[in-house]
PDB file of all heavy atoms in Angstrom:
ATOM      1  N   LEU A1483    -115.209-100.298  56.541  1.00 95.00           N
ATOM      2  CA  LEU A1483    -115.217-101.815  56.368  1.00 95.00           C
ATOM      3  C   LEU A1483    -115.722-102.566  57.568  1.00 95.00           C
ATOM      4  O   LEU A1483    -116.541-103.422  57.465  1.00 95.00           O
ATOM      5  CB  LEU A1483    -113.741-102.262  56.198  1.00 95.00           C
ATOM      6  CG  LEU A1483    -113.133-102.072  54.843  1.00 95.00           C
ATOM      7  CD1 LEU A1483    -111.654-102.617  54.805  1.00 95.00           C
ATOM      8  CD2 LEU A1483    -113.852-102.634  53.670  1.00 95.00           C
ATOM      9  N   ALA A1484    -115.451-101.907  58.781  1.00 96.00           N
ATOM     10  CA  ALA A1484    -115.879-102.498  59.938  1.00 96.00           C
ATOM     11  C   ALA A1484    -117.378-102.467  60.138  1.00 96.00           C
ATOM     12  O   ALA A1484    -118.090-103.380  60.661  1.00 96.00           O
ATOM     13  CB  ALA A1484    -115.129-101.920  61.197  1.00 96.00           C
ATOM     14  N   SER A1485    -118.035-101.431  59.768  1.00 97.00           N
ATOM     15  CA  SER A1485    -119.513-101.254  59.877  1.00 97.00           C
ATOM     16  C   SER A1485    -120.263-102.319  59.135  1.00 97.00           C
ATOM     17  O   SER A1485    -121.391-102.667  59.491  1.00 97.00           O
ATOM     18  CB  SER A1485    -119.922 -99.839  59.529  1.00 97.00           C
ATOM     19  OG  SER A1485    -119.819 -99.643  58.154  1.00 97.00           O
ATOM     20  N   GLY A1486    -119.665-102.913  58.117  1.00 94.00           N
ATOM     21  CA  GLY A1486    -120.346-103.915  57.338  1.00 94.00           C
ATOM     22  C   GLY A1486    -120.180-105.345  57.867  1.00 94.00           C
ATOM     23  O   GLY A1486    -120.834-106.227  57.327  1.00 94.00           O
ATOM     24  N   GLN A1487    -119.368-105.503  58.843  1.00 94.00           N
ATOM     25  CA  GLN A1487    -119.004-106.874  59.277  1.00 94.00           C
ATOM     26  C   GLN A1487    -120.084-107.612  59.999  1.00 94.00           C
ATOM     27  O   GLN A1487    -120.208-108.847  59.867  1.00 94.00           O
ATOM     28  CB  GLN A1487    -117.685-106.859  60.087  1.00 94.00           C
ATOM     29  CG  GLN A1487    -116.479-106.412  59.436  1.00 94.00           C
ATOM     30  CD  GLN A1487    -116.201-107.315  58.198  1.00 94.00           C
ATOM     31  OE1 GLN A1487    -115.943-108.569  58.397  1.00 94.00           O
ATOM     32  NE2 GLN A1487    -116.073-106.802  57.087  1.00 94.00           N
ATOM     33  N   ASN A1488    -120.771-106.888  60.825  1.00 94.00           N
ATOM     34  CA  ASN A1488    -121.764-107.621  61.656  1.00 94.00           C
ATOM     35  C   ASN A1488    -123.210-107.047  61.366  1.00 94.00           C
ATOM     36  O   ASN A1488    -124.051-107.019  62.356  1.00 94.00           O
ATOM     37  CB  ASN A1488    -121.496-107.473  63.193  1.00 94.00           C
ATOM     38  CG  ASN A1488    -120.246-108.322  63.615  1.00 94.00           C
ATOM     39  OD1 ASN A1488    -120.046-109.368  63.001  1.00 94.00           O
ATOM     40  ND2 ASN A1488    -119.641-107.806  64.628  1.00 94.00           N
ATOM     41  N   LYS A1489    -123.500-106.679  60.205  1.00 94.00           N
ATOM     42  CA  LYS A1489    -124.911-106.237  59.850  1.00 94.00           C
ATOM     43  C   LYS A1489    -125.837-107.368  59.818  1.00 94.00           C
ATOM     44  O   LYS A1489    -125.455-108.494  59.465  1.00 94.00           O
ATOM     45  CB  LYS A1489    -124.824-105.547  58.479  1.00 94.00           C
ATOM     46  CG  LYS A1489    -124.554-104.018  58.578  1.00 94.00           C
ATOM     47  CD  LYS A1489    -124.704-103.389  57.247  1.00 94.00           C
ATOM     48  CE  LYS A1489    -124.791-101.990  57.288  1.00 94.00           C
ATOM     49  NZ  LYS A1489    -126.068-101.346  57.863  1.00 94.00           N
ATOM     50  N   PRO A1490    -127.158-107.090  60.204  1.00 95.00           N
ATOM     51  CA  PRO A1490    -127.608-105.850  60.753  1.00 95.00           C
ATOM     52  C   PRO A1490    -127.453-105.722  62.290  1.00 95.00           C
ATOM     53  O   PRO A1490    -127.271-106.735  62.946  1.00 95.00           O
ATOM     54  CB  PRO A1490    -129.102-105.879  60.366  1.00 95.00           C
ATOM     55  CG  PRO A1490    -129.441-107.439  60.424  1.00 95.00           C
ATOM     56  CD  PRO A1490    -128.229-108.100  59.949  1.00 95.00           C
ATOM     57  N   ASP A1491    -127.650-104.507  62.789  1.00 96.00           N
ATOM     58  CA  ASP A1491    -127.665-104.210  64.197  1.00 96.00           C
ATOM     59  C   ASP A1491    -126.369-104.745  64.885  1.00 96.00           C
ATOM     60  O   ASP A1491    -126.322-105.440  65.901  1.00 96.00           O
ATOM     61  CB  ASP A1491    -128.865-104.892  64.844  1.00 96.00           C
ATOM     62  CG  ASP A1491    -129.233-104.322  66.255  1.00 96.00           C
ATOM     63  OD1 ASP A1491    -128.648-103.290  66.513  1.00 96.00           O
ATOM     64  OD2 ASP A1491    -129.946-105.004  66.997  1.00 96.00           O
ATOM     65  N   GLY A1492    -125.268-104.465  64.203  1.00 97.00           N
ATOM     66  CA  GLY A1492    -123.932-104.966  64.817  1.00 97.00           C
ATOM     67  C   GLY A1492    -122.918-103.896  65.007  1.00 97.00           C
ATOM     68  O   GLY A1492    -123.029-102.705  64.613  1.00 97.00           O
ATOM     69  N   LEU A1493    -121.841-104.322  65.726  1.00 98.00           N
ATOM     70  CA  LEU A1493    -120.756-103.343  65.972  1.00 98.00           C
ATOM     71  C   LEU A1493    -119.469-104.210  65.820  1.00 98.00           C
ATOM     72  O   LEU A1493    -119.369-105.320  66.246  1.00 98.00           O
ATOM     73  CB  LEU A1493    -120.808-102.852  67.411  1.00 98.00           C
ATOM     74  CG  LEU A1493    -119.642-102.067  68.044  1.00 98.00           C
ATOM     75  CD1 LEU A1493    -119.577-100.764  67.226  1.00 98.00           C
ATOM     76  CD2 LEU A1493    -119.801-101.840  69.490  1.00 98.00           C
ATOM     77  N   PHE A1494    -118.515-103.631  65.215  1.00 97.00           N
ATOM     78  CA  PHE A1494    -117.235-104.258  64.898  1.00 97.00           C
ATOM     79  C   PHE A1494    -116.145-103.280  65.028  1.00 97.00           C
ATOM     80  O   PHE A1494    -116.153-102.103  64.671  1.00 97.00           O
ATOM     81  CB  PHE A1494    -117.160-104.894  63.518  1.00 97.00           C
ATOM     82  CG  PHE A1494    -116.076-105.898  63.373  1.00 97.00           C
ATOM     83  CD1 PHE A1494    -116.055-107.175  63.733  1.00 97.00           C
ATOM     84  CD2 PHE A1494    -114.807-105.531  62.643  1.00 97.00           C
ATOM     85  CE1 PHE A1494    -115.121-108.120  63.591  1.00 97.00           C
ATOM     86  CE2 PHE A1494    -113.798-106.426  62.435  1.00 97.00           C
ATOM     87  CZ  PHE A1494    -113.969-107.736  62.931  1.00 97.00           C
ATOM     88  N   VAL A1495    -114.950-103.747  65.611  1.00 97.00           N
ATOM     89  CA  VAL A1495    -113.834-102.908  65.938  1.00 97.00           C
ATOM     90  C   VAL A1495    -112.502-103.413  65.232  1.00 97.00           C
ATOM     91  O   VAL A1495    -112.307-104.628  65.388  1.00 97.00           O
ATOM     92  CB  VAL A1495    -113.540-102.790  67.430  1.00 97.00           C
ATOM     93  CG1 VAL A1495    -112.437-101.803  67.695  1.00 97.00           C
ATOM     94  CG2 VAL A1495    -114.772-102.352  68.146  1.00 97.00           C
ATOM     95  N   ILE A1496    -111.793-102.491  64.580  1.00 96.00           N
ATOM     96  CA  ILE A1496    -110.556-102.815  63.990  1.00 96.00           C
ATOM     97  C   ILE A1496    -109.438-102.034  64.683  1.00 96.00           C
ATOM     98  O   ILE A1496    -109.417-100.894  64.395  1.00 96.00           O
ATOM     99  CB  ILE A1496    -110.540-102.820  62.451  1.00 96.00           C
ATOM    100  CG1 ILE A1496    -111.742-103.603  61.777  1.00 96.00           C
ATOM    101  CG2 ILE A1496    -109.108-103.178  61.842  1.00 96.00           C
ATOM    102  CD1 ILE A1496    -111.713-103.420  60.271  1.00 96.00           C
ATOM    103  N   THR A1497    -108.582-102.631  65.451  1.00 94.00           N
ATOM    104  CA  THR A1497    -107.525-101.866  66.186  1.00 94.00           C
ATOM    105  C   THR A1497    -106.307-101.765  65.244  1.00 94.00           C
ATOM    106  O   THR A1497    -106.250-102.399  64.273  1.00 94.00           O
ATOM    107  CB  THR A1497    -107.104-102.628  67.409  1.00 94.00           C
ATOM    108  OG1 THR A1497    -106.508-103.786  67.010  1.00 94.00           O
ATOM    109  CG2 THR A1497    -108.260-102.949  68.347  1.00 94.00           C
ATOM    110  N   PRO A1498    -105.420-100.794  65.583  1.00 92.00           N
ATOM    111  CA  PRO A1498    -104.159-100.639  64.805  1.00 92.00           C
ATOM    112  C   PRO A1498    -103.385-101.949  64.652  1.00 92.00           C
ATOM    113  O   PRO A1498    -102.780-102.196  63.609  1.00 92.00           O
ATOM    114  CB  PRO A1498    -103.482 -99.560  65.611  1.00 92.00           C
ATOM    115  CG  PRO A1498    -104.461 -98.807  66.235  1.00 92.00           C
ATOM    116  CD  PRO A1498    -105.500 -99.832  66.664  1.00 92.00           C
ATOM    117  N   LYS A1499    -103.358-102.781  65.720  1.00 91.00           N
ATOM    118  CA  LYS A1499    -102.625-104.059  65.519  1.00 91.00           C
ATOM    119  C   LYS A1499    -103.275-104.970  64.520  1.00 91.00           C
ATOM    120  O   LYS A1499    -102.554-105.836  63.971  1.00 91.00           O
ATOM    121  CB  LYS A1499    -102.418-104.655  66.977  1.00 91.00           C
ATOM    122  CG  LYS A1499    -101.458-103.990  67.886  1.00 91.00           C
ATOM    123  CD  LYS A1499    -101.313-104.740  69.162  1.00 91.00           C
ATOM    124  CE  LYS A1499    -100.200-104.141  70.028  1.00 91.00           C
ATOM    125  NZ  LYS A1499    -100.018-104.718  71.343  1.00 91.00           N
ATOM    126  N   LEU A1500    -104.575-104.982  64.556  1.00 92.00           N
ATOM    127  CA  LEU A1500    -105.314-105.886  63.660  1.00 92.00           C
ATOM    128  C   LEU A1500    -105.500-105.330  62.175  1.00 92.00           C
ATOM    129  O   LEU A1500    -105.770-106.120  61.315  1.00 92.00           O
ATOM    130  CB  LEU A1500    -106.695-106.249  64.224  1.00 92.00           C
ATOM    131  CG  LEU A1500    -106.688-107.050  65.559  1.00 92.00           C
ATOM    132  CD1 LEU A1500    -107.990-107.167  66.105  1.00 92.00           C
ATOM    133  CD2 LEU A1500    -105.906-108.255  65.446  1.00 92.00           C
ATOM    134  N   GLY A1501    -105.422-104.036  61.971  1.00 93.00           N
ATOM    135  CA  GLY A1501    -105.804-103.390  60.769  1.00 93.00           C
ATOM    136  C   GLY A1501    -105.053-103.961  59.518  1.00 93.00           C
ATOM    137  O   GLY A1501    -105.810-104.400  58.587  1.00 93.00           O
ATOM    138  N   PRO A1502    -103.746-103.932  59.447  1.00 92.00           N
ATOM    139  CA  PRO A1502    -103.036-104.415  58.254  1.00 92.00           C
ATOM    140  C   PRO A1502    -103.453-105.897  57.896  1.00 92.00           C
ATOM    141  O   PRO A1502    -103.746-106.264  56.756  1.00 92.00           O
ATOM    142  CB  PRO A1502    -101.593-104.378  58.598  1.00 92.00           C
ATOM    143  CG  PRO A1502    -101.524-103.125  59.511  1.00 92.00           C
ATOM    144  CD  PRO A1502    -102.770-103.359  60.425  1.00 92.00           C
ATOM    145  N   ALA A1503    -103.515-106.730  58.949  1.00 93.00           N
ATOM    146  CA  ALA A1503    -103.857-108.240  58.685  1.00 93.00           C
ATOM    147  C   ALA A1503    -105.311-108.389  58.256  1.00 93.00           C
ATOM    148  O   ALA A1503    -105.580-109.259  57.358  1.00 93.00           O
ATOM    149  CB  ALA A1503    -103.582-109.088  59.981  1.00 93.00           C
ATOM    150  N   PHE A1504    -106.141-107.483  58.771  1.00 94.00           N
ATOM    151  CA  PHE A1504    -107.538-107.565  58.394  1.00 94.00           C
ATOM    152  C   PHE A1504    -107.712-107.256  56.902  1.00 94.00           C
ATOM    153  O   PHE A1504    -108.463-107.897  56.157  1.00 94.00           O
ATOM    154  CB  PHE A1504    -108.413-106.548  59.257  1.00 94.00           C
ATOM    155  CG  PHE A1504    -109.865-106.503  58.917  1.00 94.00           C
ATOM    156  CD1 PHE A1504    -110.741-107.424  59.518  1.00 94.00           C
ATOM    157  CD2 PHE A1504    -110.278-105.660  57.953  1.00 94.00           C
ATOM    158  CE1 PHE A1504    -112.089-107.413  59.304  1.00 94.00           C
ATOM    159  CE2 PHE A1504    -111.745-105.612  57.725  1.00 94.00           C
ATOM    160  CZ  PHE A1504    -112.542-106.567  58.409  1.00 94.00           C
ATOM    161  N   VAL A1505    -107.014-106.228  56.488  1.00 95.00           N
ATOM    162  CA  VAL A1505    -107.083-105.777  55.054  1.00 95.00           C
ATOM    163  C   VAL A1505    -106.473-106.807  54.175  1.00 95.00           C
ATOM    164  O   VAL A1505    -106.974-107.178  53.021  1.00 95.00           O
ATOM    165  CB  VAL A1505    -106.274-104.459  54.875  1.00 95.00           C
ATOM    166  CG1 VAL A1505    -106.184-104.065  53.418  1.00 95.00           C
ATOM    167  CG2 VAL A1505    -106.959-103.292  55.549  1.00 95.00           C
ATOM    168  N   GLU A1506    -105.400-107.448  54.578  1.00 95.00           N
ATOM    169  CA  GLU A1506    -104.671-108.448  53.717  1.00 95.00           C
ATOM    170  C   GLU A1506    -105.640-109.630  53.453  1.00 95.00           C
ATOM    171  O   GLU A1506    -105.600-110.179  52.274  1.00 95.00           O
ATOM    172  CB  GLU A1506    -103.449-108.925  54.393  1.00 95.00           C
ATOM    173  CG  GLU A1506    -102.304-107.940  54.439  1.00 95.00           C
ATOM    174  CD  GLU A1506    -101.012-108.525  55.138  1.00 95.00           C
ATOM    175  OE1 GLU A1506    -101.174-109.697  55.702  1.00 95.00           O
ATOM    176  OE2 GLU A1506     -99.985-107.760  55.374  1.00 95.00           O
ATOM    177  N   ALA A1507    -106.472-110.030  54.398  1.00 92.00           N
ATOM    178  CA  ALA A1507    -107.354-111.124  54.069  1.00 92.00           C
ATOM    179  C   ALA A1507    -108.602-110.880  53.340  1.00 92.00           C
ATOM    180  O   ALA A1507    -109.373-111.791  52.900  1.00 92.00           O
ATOM    181  CB  ALA A1507    -107.687-111.751  55.507  1.00 92.00           C
ATOM    182  N   LEU A1508    -108.844-109.581  53.067  1.00 94.00           N
ATOM    183  CA  LEU A1508    -110.156-109.178  52.528  1.00 94.00           C
ATOM    184  C   LEU A1508    -110.088-109.212  50.988  1.00 94.00           C
ATOM    185  O   LEU A1508    -109.137-108.729  50.395  1.00 94.00           O
ATOM    186  CB  LEU A1508    -110.527-107.888  53.010  1.00 94.00           C
ATOM    187  CG  LEU A1508    -112.049-107.504  53.169  1.00 94.00           C
ATOM    188  CD1 LEU A1508    -112.682-108.426  54.116  1.00 94.00           C
ATOM    189  CD2 LEU A1508    -112.293-106.080  53.629  1.00 94.00           C
ATOM    190  N   PRO A1509    -111.096-109.642  50.319  1.00 95.00           N
ATOM    191  CA  PRO A1509    -111.216-109.524  48.844  1.00 95.00           C
ATOM    192  C   PRO A1509    -111.260-108.004  48.483  1.00 95.00           C
ATOM    193  O   PRO A1509    -111.980-107.243  49.149  1.00 95.00           O
ATOM    194  CB  PRO A1509    -112.540-110.193  48.408  1.00 95.00           C
ATOM    195  CG  PRO A1509    -112.748-111.000  49.586  1.00 95.00           C
ATOM    196  CD  PRO A1509    -112.278-110.439  50.846  1.00 95.00           C
ATOM    197  N   VAL A1510    -110.518-107.583  47.426  1.00 95.00           N
ATOM    198  CA  VAL A1510    -110.468-106.137  47.012  1.00 95.00           C
ATOM    199  C   VAL A1510    -111.866-105.674  46.641  1.00 95.00           C
ATOM    200  O   VAL A1510    -112.130-104.544  46.740  1.00 95.00           O
ATOM    201  CB  VAL A1510    -109.452-105.893  45.893  1.00 95.00           C
ATOM    202  CG1 VAL A1510    -108.054-106.067  46.363  1.00 95.00           C
ATOM    203  CG2 VAL A1510    -109.727-106.736  44.741  1.00 95.00           C
ATOM    204  N   ARG A1511    -112.763-106.550  46.177  1.00 92.00           N
ATOM    205  CA  ARG A1511    -114.104-106.145  45.772  1.00 92.00           C
ATOM    206  C   ARG A1511    -114.883-105.622  46.998  1.00 92.00           C
ATOM    207  O   ARG A1511    -115.913-104.951  46.802  1.00 92.00           O
ATOM    208  CB  ARG A1511    -114.909-107.369  45.255  1.00 92.00           C
ATOM    209  CG  ARG A1511    -114.426-107.883  43.928  1.00 92.00           C
ATOM    210  CD  ARG A1511    -115.255-108.953  43.285  1.00 92.00           C
ATOM    211  NE  ARG A1511    -114.762-109.313  42.002  1.00 92.00           N
ATOM    212  CZ  ARG A1511    -114.990-108.743  40.845  1.00 92.00           C
ATOM    213  NH1 ARG A1511    -115.910-107.768  40.897  1.00 92.00           N
ATOM    214  NH2 ARG A1511    -114.516-109.066  39.756  1.00 92.00           N
ATOM    215  N   LYS A1512    -114.554-105.938  48.169  1.00 90.00           N
ATOM    216  CA  LYS A1512    -115.163-105.315  49.350  1.00 90.00           C
ATOM    217  C   LYS A1512    -114.605-104.093  49.867  1.00 90.00           C
ATOM    218  O   LYS A1512    -115.062-103.430  50.825  1.00 90.00           O
ATOM    219  CB  LYS A1512    -115.069-106.403  50.536  1.00 90.00           C
ATOM    220  CG  LYS A1512    -115.892-107.659  50.270  1.00 90.00           C
ATOM    221  CD  LYS A1512    -116.108-108.516  51.516  1.00 90.00           C
ATOM    222  CE  LYS A1512    -116.996-109.645  51.263  1.00 90.00           C
ATOM    223  NZ  LYS A1512    -117.189-110.544  52.391  1.00 90.00           N
ATOM    224  N   PHE A1513    -113.561-103.543  49.213  1.00 92.00           N
ATOM    225  CA  PHE A1513    -112.824-102.334  49.609  1.00 92.00           C
ATOM    226  C   PHE A1513    -113.710-101.172  49.266  1.00 92.00           C
ATOM    227  O   PHE A1513    -114.186-101.101  48.038  1.00 92.00           O
ATOM    228  CB  PHE A1513    -111.476-102.175  48.888  1.00 92.00           C
ATOM    229  CG  PHE A1513    -110.371-103.021  49.508  1.00 92.00           C
ATOM    230  CD1 PHE A1513    -110.611-104.042  50.371  1.00 92.00           C
ATOM    231  CD2 PHE A1513    -109.123-102.749  49.217  1.00 92.00           C
ATOM    232  CE1 PHE A1513    -109.715-104.907  50.873  1.00 92.00           C
ATOM    233  CE2 PHE A1513    -108.051-103.452  49.775  1.00 92.00           C
ATOM    234  CZ  PHE A1513    -108.345-104.560  50.610  1.00 92.00           C
ATOM    235  N   HIS A1514    -114.023-100.228  50.122  1.00 86.00           N
ATOM    236  CA  HIS A1514    -114.685 -98.993  49.790  1.00 86.00           C
ATOM    237  C   HIS A1514    -113.747 -98.133  48.861  1.00 86.00           C
ATOM    238  O   HIS A1514    -112.530 -98.023  49.139  1.00 86.00           O
ATOM    239  CB  HIS A1514    -114.913 -98.179  50.972  1.00 86.00           C
ATOM    240  CG  HIS A1514    -115.634 -96.897  50.820  1.00 86.00           C
ATOM    241  ND1 HIS A1514    -116.821 -96.719  50.149  1.00 86.00           N
ATOM    242  CD2 HIS A1514    -115.302 -95.549  51.147  1.00 86.00           C
ATOM    243  CE1 HIS A1514    -117.128 -95.529  49.970  1.00 86.00           C
ATOM    244  NE2 HIS A1514    -116.248 -94.839  50.624  1.00 86.00           N
ATOM    245  N   GLY A1515    -114.166 -97.774  47.713  1.00 84.00           N
ATOM    246  CA  GLY A1515    -113.395 -97.033  46.762  1.00 84.00           C
ATOM    247  C   GLY A1515    -112.939 -97.964  45.615  1.00 84.00           C
ATOM    248  O   GLY A1515    -112.268 -97.389  44.600  1.00 84.00           O
ATOM    249  N   VAL A1516    -113.234 -99.257  45.698  1.00 89.00           N
ATOM    250  CA  VAL A1516    -112.910-100.115  44.576  1.00 89.00           C
ATOM    251  C   VAL A1516    -114.241-100.553  44.055  1.00 89.00           C
ATOM    252  O   VAL A1516    -114.908-101.501  44.582  1.00 89.00           O
ATOM    253  CB  VAL A1516    -112.011-101.308  45.046  1.00 89.00           C
ATOM    254  CG1 VAL A1516    -111.818-102.265  43.829  1.00 89.00           C
ATOM    255  CG2 VAL A1516    -110.697-100.877  45.579  1.00 89.00           C
ATOM    256  N   GLY A1517    -114.661 -99.952  42.816  1.00 85.00           N
ATOM    257  CA  GLY A1517    -115.944-100.341  42.250  1.00 85.00           C
ATOM    258  C   GLY A1517    -115.772-101.619  41.352  1.00 85.00           C
ATOM    259  O   GLY A1517    -114.780-102.173  41.373  1.00 85.00           O
ATOM    260  N   PRO A1518    -116.962-102.106  40.880  1.00 86.00           N
ATOM    261  CA  PRO A1518    -116.860-103.293  40.107  1.00 86.00           C
ATOM    262  C   PRO A1518    -115.880-103.304  38.902  1.00 86.00           C
ATOM    263  O   PRO A1518    -115.198-104.314  38.698  1.00 86.00           O
ATOM    264  CB  PRO A1518    -118.345-103.505  39.596  1.00 86.00           C
ATOM    265  CG  PRO A1518    -119.182-102.696  40.601  1.00 86.00           C
ATOM    266  CD  PRO A1518    -118.242-101.604  40.979  1.00 86.00           C
ATOM    267  N   ALA A1519    -115.848-102.261  38.147  1.00 86.00           N
ATOM    268  CA  ALA A1519    -114.984-102.153  37.066  1.00 86.00           C
ATOM    269  C   ALA A1519    -113.518-102.211  37.396  1.00 86.00           C
ATOM    270  O   ALA A1519    -112.672-102.781  36.876  1.00 86.00           O
ATOM    271  CB  ALA A1519    -115.233-100.810  36.228  1.00 86.00           C
ATOM    272  N   THR A1520    -113.161-101.497  38.577  1.00 91.00           N
ATOM    273  CA  THR A1520    -111.722-101.444  39.104  1.00 91.00           C
ATOM    274  C   THR A1520    -111.488-102.844  39.618  1.00 91.00           C
ATOM    275  O   THR A1520    -110.297-103.359  39.444  1.00 91.00           O
ATOM    276  CB  THR A1520    -111.529-100.420  40.156  1.00 91.00           C
ATOM    277  OG1 THR A1520    -111.928 -99.148  39.629  1.00 91.00           O
ATOM    278  CG2 THR A1520    -110.184-100.398  40.730  1.00 91.00           C
ATOM    279  N   ALA A1521    -112.279-103.458  40.396  1.00 92.00           N
ATOM    280  CA  ALA A1521    -112.140-104.818  40.921  1.00 92.00           C
ATOM    281  C   ALA A1521    -111.895-105.833  39.781  1.00 92.00           C
ATOM    282  O   ALA A1521    -110.951-106.607  39.768  1.00 92.00           O
ATOM    283  CB  ALA A1521    -113.319-105.270  41.674  1.00 92.00           C
ATOM    284  N   ASP A1522    -112.656-105.653  38.620  1.00 92.00           N
ATOM    285  CA  ASP A1522    -112.400-106.551  37.425  1.00 92.00           C
ATOM    286  C   ASP A1522    -111.010-106.360  36.866  1.00 92.00           C
ATOM    287  O   ASP A1522    -110.261-107.369  36.562  1.00 92.00           O
ATOM    288  CB  ASP A1522    -113.388-106.240  36.364  1.00 92.00           C
ATOM    289  CG  ASP A1522    -114.840-106.852  36.827  1.00 92.00           C
ATOM    290  OD1 ASP A1522    -114.895-107.667  37.777  1.00 92.00           O
ATOM    291  OD2 ASP A1522    -115.839-106.372  36.180  1.00 92.00           O
TER     292      ASP A1522
END
């Protein structure tokens, strides 16, 4: 998830303290492993 945050030519870090909150705010459609049909 982090590698896609600052594309192109970007770097992003998600620490353990920030991880759960970062996930909570994200649309499930952006989750790796959740395809369009599953997201629907």
Side-chain angles (χ1 to χ4, degrees):
L1483 289 180
S1485 67
Q1487 291 302 300
N1488 287 332
K1489 269 187 164 290
D1491 197 16
L1493 174 65
F1494 194 80
V1495 181
I1496 302 175
T1497 66
K1499 286 186 177 179
L1500 296 178
F1504 182 87
V1505 173
E1506 287 178 2
L1508 209 64
V1510 292
R1511 289 183 179 274
K1512 292 191 175 181
F1513 284 16
H1514 180 57
V1516 177
T1520 300
D1522 289 342

